[in-house]
Amino acid sequence: MKVKSTSDDYGAQSRNDNFYNIEFEKVAQDLGTNSELGLTEKEAGERLKKYGPNALIEKKQSNLIRFLKQFNNSIIYILILAAVATFVLKEYSDSIVIGMVVIINALIGYFQEVKASSAIDKIKQMLQIEATVIRDGHRTDIPAENLVVGDVVFLEAGDNVPADLRIIDADNLKIQESILTGEADSVLKNTDKLPEKTTLGDQTNMAFTSTAVTNGSGLGIVVATATDTELGQISSSVEEVGSKTTPLMREINGLGKYISYAIIVVAILVGIYGFVTKIYSLPVLVIALITMIVGSLPEGLPASTSVVLAMGVGKMTKQNAIMKSLPSVETLGAVNVIATDKTGTLTKNEMTIEEIITKQGTYEITGTGYQPHGEIRFNNQVIDVHQHEDLRKLIIAGHEANDTILSKENGTWVINGEPTDGAFLTLANKAFHQQVPQWEEIDKIPFDSDYRYIAELSQSPEGHRRILVKGSPDKIFRMAAIDDATFDEQYWYNKVSEVAQKGHRVVAVAYKEVEDNKETIVALHEMQKAGVKVKMITGDHPETASAIAEKLGLDDQIAAITGAEINEMDDEQLKNIIQDYNVFARTTPNDKLRIVKAYQANNLVTAMTGDGVNDAPALKRADIGIAMGTKGTDVAKESADMVLTDDNFATLTKAIKEGRRVYDNIKKTIRFLLPTSFAEGLIVLLSILAQQDLPLVPTQLLWINMVSAITIQFAFLFEPAEEGIMDRNPRPAGRSFLNRADVIQIVYVSILIAGLGIFGYDWLIDHGVSEVVASTVTVNTIVFGKIFYLFNLRTPKPAFSKDILRNLHAFWIIAVLLVLQFALTYVPFMQSIFSTASMGWAQWLIPVIAGIIVLIVTEVEKYFYPTHFQQVHSK
């Protein structure tokens, strides 16, 4: 919507993205203000009353709603109905136990979702600053939230920009915009009208909310406040991006839904059969059906899954990766694409000098960032700068012609000033081993955009005076040519072109007498080996971004596309071409969001890394958002699912490996849980169909599910990663959690354990053993079937290979389970609660033999269907 020229309807809350394309005099006219006198207090008050404060409106979800959402699960619905039915039938103990299971699962889910504060909170805090405005011709300070469109704002070094402004006056005004654009260096501002479709990072006549003024001063007219600002648009995007469900949760929820449907359908059919045949009285039939349903439902699934995930979260925390929600730990294992912001992620938002070119040749400098650790090499040999006079003078000149401060804070080297200047300070510390010669400053010409260099007259400790100059190569070369007729400008311009094509920034240094990130490269190689594609998203020009991507080894072939080109496409077109590119240059926050959505539209599990406010919407939208912990903004951290405390991209490879291990162990847990749960329900079902007494009572089934099953499932928590886990591709998105072989195994193991249980029960009854003893033997038969089946599932290798000892935790967990089973069998009060009785020692042979049979049958299958037990996906 275009801004109108009347003061009553100036479109304060109707965003116009073209203010950079309008002369600032016309902007003032359209917004009904005076560029010299500002608004009147009366007009400002009316606008504030009409359009509201310069603040963001937050939407909060109550803790009660968050808690109630945990019950939105098909398995939970059935358990609630079972609890109600047993209560109505006065089976209070069963009702209480089932109810406790439901509440415990809900509490686990609730505490997973509770987080410190929302991203909107953080953005709102960023707006709570003071602003210097001109009203009625006078300069005055007001709260930033009282700003209105049309206000004339004064900016100076040290200020935070309080709203989006069109610059109308600039005196060496430089603004640090990395939180929006991702660019490290401050941007020099001016008042010139810019062409249409100028991207955010190139809008040099605009100032944006919450960016920081680093140099100079200026004036700007407020063109947008609150949610209409660039920052406000991002906050709206974050709010609008819906909560995502992780791939694992989608798979498990789908599995739970189908299991629930199947159990209910079977229960209805059996109920009809029982009612028609009148096998039992109606109350007894209802209890039998509830027993079957509760026995068949994997009620331990939510709790056991959460525990496996929690163990993964704990392990990753020790590896500098903090997960904010449990399911996120597994999501990384399924990632196909990592869309990563270059600044602060692939690169560290720190300038590093990697090459120095003098008349003698090219010197290479090792080490990255601002830490003064590294060497200077010439012809692959470490050199002493004191033996290379031109090099020594150049390094000193770059160190002295400098307005930046390098210091060590809390063990980390940081700068106060420009990253380029910081790189020269670090270089000097490397060259002189932190014993840099201290020159005396006599006079200085600060950097200015008009002449694009900084100059200093300095005196050495020996009393020699020199003019030291540092700045744009074209300016420095011109000076050198004027001073020295033998200076070959064309030769040096060719050198600059060669270096620039490598993606390096070039700075020239002159005087007159009077970064190697190998860890990231290794990480990228490991991700490629694991089938994970890494995509670079940056505010850089495409040529620079492509050069950096090629140097990092991002992919075999580098293909770049710009944000402007993306804007020319609709979502369907972007979806169709997105996989053809691996570098996205000159991007806006909305571009990043659309890129993530396009990958997801291609059924690719997508991670997004970033550290700025501009990354927040994409971080929230991605299947897993990953923020930098040290340099990341609070908004990025709150929008993300995972925070890298060491800001190290290489940490992601460890996280991916752990995510895959967690997924494997959850799948082993579920493959273990389902057939053993189904076996319990199947025993009841077959008993009803055979019109005989139930061999198991409800409390015994609850014991098996909620005590023995969960206890023995803990063994899977400690299973180490399978061999070659990082040599396989991510699992296909949208694939069902259980494949055909899994389903076949679940079915036959269910039938096998149920058959062995019923056979043992009937054999004992036929040989004169009491029903209560036979029932106790049946309980132990099911439990021993679980124990032996556990050894089959732990490894794709033979159960009793050397891998049997790779997880010693399994043995003490089994020992605890056996103690509990002996207590169930022999302790009097346990016998009273669970309707059990003491077994003779010979009767223990039945559960042991049954367990061995289960192990033999399932082990044989490994030889017939070896791929069933291998989690490796084809390349």
Side-chain angles (χ1 to χ4, degrees), residues 1-7 9-11 16 27 29-32:
M1 176 177 176
K2 292 294 183 182
V3 173
K4 298 183 180 179
S5 60
T6 63
S7 60
D9 191 9
Y10 65 96
N16 183 339
V27 172
Q29 178 184 347
D30 287 350
L31 298 180

Side-chain angles (χ1 to χ4, degrees), residues 575-710:
K575 171 191 170 183
N576 292 335
I577 62 91
I578 193 72
Q579 297 188 68
D580 297 334
Y581 297 92
N582 41 33
V583 173
F584 301 88
R586 282 303 194 211
T587 53
T588 66
N590 188 58
D591 293 335
K592 295 182 181 183
L593 184 59
R594 291 189 66 206
I595 289 167
V596 169
K597 288 181 177 178
Y599 280 120
Q600 291 174 326
N602 282 282
N603 292 320
L604 297 174
V605 179
T606 306
M608 171 73 193
T609 74
D611 56 6
V613 173
N614 57 326
D615 299 318
L619 287 172
K620 187 174 180 182
R621 171 70 192 197
D623 294 291
I624 179 166
I626 306 162
M628 301 298 110
T630 302
K631 293 186 175 66
T633 61
D634 286 340
V635 177
K637 294 175 191 175
E638 290 301 326
S639 299
D641 304 287
M642 172 181 171
V643 179
L644 299 180
T645 59
D646 59 357
D647 284 13
N648 191 345
F649 184 78
T651 301
L652 286 181
T653 58
K654 301 175 186 175
I656 290 173
K657 181 177 181 180
E658 180 60 19
R660 293 186 176 187
R661 186 191 74 86
V662 165
Y663 178 83
D664 284 356
N665 288 347
I666 287 176
K667 183 165 184 179
K668 289 175 183 177
T669 301
I670 293 174
R671 285 173 55 199
F672 168 81
L673 176 65
L674 293 183
T676 53
S677 292
F678 292 165
E680 300 164 34
L682 192 58
I683 288 175
V684 178
L685 171 63
L686 295 176
S687 299
I688 294 174
L689 295 178
Q691 301 184 18
Q692 66 181 36
D693 293 335
L694 301 181
L696 299 172
V697 299
T699 52
Q700 291 172 344
L701 291 174
L702 289 169
W703 167 268
I704 295 171
N705 280 356
M706 297 309 297
V707 179
S708 65
I710 291 179

Side-chain angles (χ1 to χ4, degrees), residues 30-280:
D30 287 350
L31 298 180
T33 190
N34 186 301
S35 59
E36 296 181 359
L37 302 178
L39 294 173
T40 65
E41 287 288 355
K42 179 181 178 182
E43 175 65 17
E46 290 176 354
R47 293 185 180 188
L48 182 63
K49 183 177 180 180
K50 182 174 182 179
Y51 295 102
N54 179 32
L56 301 180
I57 301 173
E58 93 183 89
K59 294 181 180 179
K60 286 188 175 181
Q61 184 183 72
S62 71
N63 288 333
L64 176 61
I65 296 298
R66 184 179 284 118
F67 178 69
L68 293 177
K69 284 172 59 180
Q70 308 307 316
F71 297 93
N72 186 22
N73 180 286
S74 58
I75 293 178
I76 299 298
Y77 293 157
I78 296 173
L79 289 175
I80 291 174
L81 289 175
V84 172
T86 50
F87 184 84
V88 171
L89 294 171
K90 299 182 180 181
E91 299 290 338
Y92 298 122
S93 60
D94 292 348
S95 180
I96 291 172
V97 173
I98 296 171
M100 288 178 62
V101 171
V102 172
I103 297 298
I104 289 171
N105 282 327
L107 287 172
I108 291 173
Y110 170 75
F111 286 115
Q112 287 178 34
E113 293 190 4
V114 173
K115 296 180 180 179
S117 56
S118 68
I120 304 301
D121 287 332
K122 295 298 180 182
I123 297 176
K124 187 176 180 181
Q125 291 172 14
M126 294 172 70
L127 286 175
Q128 294 174 349
I129 57 176
E130 292 282 310
T132 301
V133 299
I134 299 176
R135 287 185 179 172
D136 290 320
H138 301 291
R139 244 170 80 169
T140 182
D141 291 334
I142 64 170
E145 65 178 15
N146 291 340
L147 281 176
V148 295
V149 170
D151 263 325
V152 177
V153 176
F154 177 77
L155 298 174
E156 61 182 346
D159 287 348
N160 282 333
V161 179
D164 284 5
L165 312 175
R166 171 61 161 91
I167 304 298
I168 63 174
D169 183 57
D171 183 10
N172 195 29
L173 178 65
K174 298 178 76 176
I175 298 179
Q176 168 60 259
E177 298 178 338
S178 62
I179 66 168
L180 282 175
T181 65
E183 289 302 294
D185 280 347
S186 298
V187 178
L188 185 67
K189 297 295 182 177
N190 57 52
T191 63
D192 300 338
K193 173 184 172 182
L194 297 173
E196 289 187 10
K197 298 183 180 179
T198 300
T199 60
L200 188 72
D202 293 325
Q203 291 177 17
T204 54
N205 59 10
M206 298 288 294
F208 302 104
T209 303
S210 293
T211 57
V213 180
T214 57
N215 292 92
S217 61
L219 289 174
I221 298 175
V222 176
V223 296
T225 61
T227 55
D228 286 335
T229 64
E230 289 292 338
L231 185 66
Q233 293 292 304
I234 292 173
S235 75
S236 298
S237 298
V238 172
E239 190 174 350
E240 290 169 4
V241 173
S243 300
K244 68 259 184 179
T245 305
T246 67
L248 174 68
M249 291 299 103
R250 287 196 294 268
E251 293 171 12
I252 291 179
N253 290 342
L255 179 65
K257 179 175 67 175
Y258 292 122
I259 289 173
S260 301
Y261 291 163
I263 291 173
I264 291 299
V265 169
V266 171
I268 291 173
L269 294 175
V270 173
I272 294 172
Y273 171 80
F275 181 77
V276 171
T277 58
K278 301 187 184 302
I279 309 169
Y280 310 106

